[in-house]
Amino acid sequence: MRPLEDSIEGNHLNLSNQGISNKQVRLICDFLTQNPQINSVDLSNNNISQGIVDLAKVKTINSLNLSMNTLDSSSQEAMLALSENTTLTVLDLSKNYIGDDRATAFK
């Protein structure tokens, strides 16, 4: 994973295609909490599943791209955490394995 400071453009943090795992998500959450001006995060094409529970607790994010990660239908806790986050206005979960029944929970 490249240094987080090098991945910022304005209010957007782009960490796509970095091989990020659930363990590294905690560090990213700490960084986001310390940098509340960042409200758009791209974590597409990584290896994140249950780490999403921690991301959902960061209330400064309003746009979150989690496409092409390792979410599947067993990620119920992560899906619940995301659905309870009221600050997210844009959420991309495309190209995961969550199924239509889980996806409709976000309508």
Side-chain angles (χ1 to χ4, degrees):
M1 181 170 72
R2 66 180 173 250
L4 296 176
E5 293 82 7
D6 294 346
S7 303
I8 300 172
E9 235 180 82
N11 68 340
H12 181 74
L13 179 64
N14 184 354
L15 295 172
S16 61
N17 304 302
Q18 295 295 305
I20 295 170
S21 66
N22 292 317
K23 187 181 275 188
Q24 293 166 308
V25 169
R26 173 85 38 151
L27 298 171
I28 295 166
C29 291
D30 290 343
F31 179 80
L32 290 168
T33 301
Q34 295 169 8
N35 295 277
Q37 74 279 7
I38 299 170
N39 60 17
S40 175
V41 181
D42 184 349
L43 288 165
S44 62
N45 201 21
N46 283 292
N47 298 307
I48 303 169
S49 59
Q50 291 303 316
I52 291 169
V53 173
D54 293 323
L55 277 170
K57 294 175 185 173
V58 180
K59 301 301 182 190
T60 57
I61 303 172
N62 59 34
S63 177
L64 182 58
N65 184 344
L66 293 168
S67 64
M68 296 183 285
N69 272 280
T70 55
L71 286 172
D72 60 25
S73 59
S74 69
S75 305
Q76 185 170 358
E77 184 182 2
M79 296 296 101
L80 180 61
L82 284 172
S83 69
E84 291 175 346
N85 182 313
T86 58
T87 58
L88 278 174
T89 56
V90 177
L91 177 62
D92 187 346
L93 296 173
S94 63
K95 298 184 183 174
N96 279 285
Y97 305 97
I98 57 174
D100 291 341
D101 58 330
R102 298 268 190 244
T104 57
F106 295 102
K107 286 187 175 183

